[in-house]
Amino acid sequence: MAGNIAAAPNFQAWTKMAEAYDNLTGTVKIAMVGKYTGLSDAYLSVVKALLHACVACSLRPSVEWIAASDLEDESAKTTPEAHASAWETLKSCACVLVPGGFGDRGVPGMILAAKFARENNVPYLGICLGMQISVIEFSRYVLGLERANSEEFDSQTPHPVVIFMPEGSRTHMGSTMRLGSRITFLKDPDCVTSKLYQKSASVDERHRHRYEVNPDFIGELESAGLKFVGSDESGKRMEVLELPNHPYYIGVQFHPEFKSRPQRPSALFLGLILAATGRLQTYLSNLPDSSLGTSQ
Ligand SMILES: NC(=O)CC[C@H](N)C(=O)O
């Protein structure tokens, strides 16, 4: 049964990558603003996706964990040292990432982090909850809807910019949770997201959420400058937002970290690291030839 004996594994490419990583000297500081910052395993896929993207850029990631609640105004009164240090750390980073999450703890701090990134041209990637945070932030501070919120955090909000949109899927399990791989259509071939995904018109990424951007507010948000460049096949579920005229400001309802692999970094994590190090425009203008081989 010689035919069934596995060939000796070929670790050449892996060894080369590991050796290259051992010799990397440059680092990039990434502010990770979340709820469970004491539990880095809670965001393991995100941390690995950052590593894959950084290695593709010949850099080491330096992940700076910021407890979102330390950024809040309330913390300036109750824990002034933690507040000062959280802001100092945020300001020292080359980019900001707000990962997925559930529940309202830390949400006001995440909103402040998204506002800081938007106003100061700091590259930002918001994943799932992080995208919803961007929409709340933009609604409050650009549209002037002071109490804009997600129904998840304030069921009485007069401006529900993020709402529960049950799907009742016959093909996907998960009760009220929208789970699994779904196709996102990118309508504008010139948007940064489409370019990063090798000029794709659609991408297939994984989901894990209940709430979505309220379709009733899309017109108002877009007129004020926030662009929804990706949606599901119905056109009603927003999947990707971008802020044009910003070095890199992207929010995604899906979780690009789950399909990231060593040597096949997630397109959007790669974009974040390239933008954080001032290399995004060169990379985009040289596509497709200089592609770093992303995961889709
Ligand atoms: N995975 C997430 O970030 C979920 C975001 C939000 N809590 C929702 O259910 O829609």
Side-chain angles (χ1 to χ4, degrees):
M1 299 293 282
N4 285 343
I5 297 172
N10 181 351
F11 284 124
Q12 238 176 332
W14 190 272
T15 309
K16 207 171 143 210
M17 179 183 68
E19 279 170 5
Y21 179 73
D22 286 343
N23 292 312
L24 291 178
T25 48
T27 57
V28 53
K29 271 173 89 170
I30 304 138
M32 181 92 119
V33 183
K35 179 171 157 185
Y36 303 111
T37 46
L39 298 167
S40 54
D41 278 7
Y43 304 111
L44 196 60
S45 308
V46 176
V47 173
K48 293 294 178 194
L50 284 170
L51 178 62
H52 305 156
C54 285
V55 170
C57 297
S58 301
L59 290 165
R60 272 173 193 273
S62 167
V63 178
E64 302 290 326
W65 297 93
I66 300 175
S69 48
D70 286 345
L71 293 170
E72 295 168 10
D73 297 347
E74 188 57 26
S75 146
K77 292 179 224 141
T78 53
T79 47
E81 277 178 22
H83 180 263
S85 131
W87 275 100
E88 200 186 317
T89 306
L90 182 67
K91 289 178 181 171
S92 74
C93 287
C95 58
V96 177
L97 197 158
V98 177
F102 293 81
D104 63 356
R105 184 159 62 83
V107 162
M110 294 172 205
I111 294 172
L112 291 175
K115 182 169 186 280
F116 172 79
R118 180 177 60 78
E119 293 181 340
N120 294 284
N121 290 324
V122 178
Y124 175 90
L125 178 61
I127 297 176
C128 204
L129 174 63
M131 171 185 178
Q132 299 171 359
I133 292 289
S134 293
V135 171
I136 300 169
E137 188 279 318
F138 197 86
S139 303
R140 287 188 188 177
Y141 296 104
V142 179
L143 297 184
L145 306 174
E146 272 173 43
R147 284 187 53 205
N149 215 331
S150 164
E151 282 183 340
E152 182 180 5
F153 315 129
D154 178 3
S155 58
Q156 303 304 314
T157 170
H159 304 295
V161 291
V162 177
I163 55 168
F164 179 43
M165 282 170 55
E167 185 177 45
S169 168
R170 284 160 202 252
T171 49
H172 286 73
M173 308 283 276
S175 184
T176 58
M177 184 89 86
R178 189 162 174 259
L179 293 171
S181 263
R182 318 284 184 126
I183 297 191
T184 292
F185 295 89
L186 300 166
K187 57 186 172 202
D188 176 5
D190 288 327
C191 72
V192 174
T193 303
S194 169
K195 287 184 187 163
L196 282 169
Y197 279 100
Q198 314 304 312
K199 306 192 176 169
S200 302
S202 69
V203 296
D204 191 6
E205 295 279 20
R206 284 167 57 185
H207 293 72
R208 184 181 161 75
H209 67 113
R210 278 196 185 87
Y211 294 83
E212 322 234 1
V213 182
N214 186 343
D216 293 346
F217 283 87
I218 301 303
E220 213 177 328
L221 290 162
E222 289 214 318
S223 306
L226 195 63
K227 298 297 173 206
F228 292 89
V229 297
S231 62
D232 76 337
E233 71 285 351
S234 74
K236 292 211 171 67
R237 295 177 196 272
M238 298 304 132
E239 293 279 3
V240 189
L241 65 77
E242 288 185 9
L243 203 52
N245 304 322
H246 187 287
Y248 191 84
Y249 191 97
I250 294 183
V252 280
Q253 194 56 77
F254 53 71
H255 288 266
E257 67 272 24
F258 291 147
K259 288 194 176 176
S260 179
R261 297 288 180 270
Q263 298 175 321
R264 264 188 303 130
S266 156
L268 296 174
F269 282 79
L270 183 64
L272 180 71
I273 301 304
L274 288 169
T277 51
R279 297 188 246 173
L280 181 63
Q281 288 317 319
T282 312
Y283 175 75
L284 294 181
S285 53
N286 290 332
L287 280 171
D289 308 338
S290 78
S291 132
L292 293 175
T294 51
S295 65
Q296 291 230 340

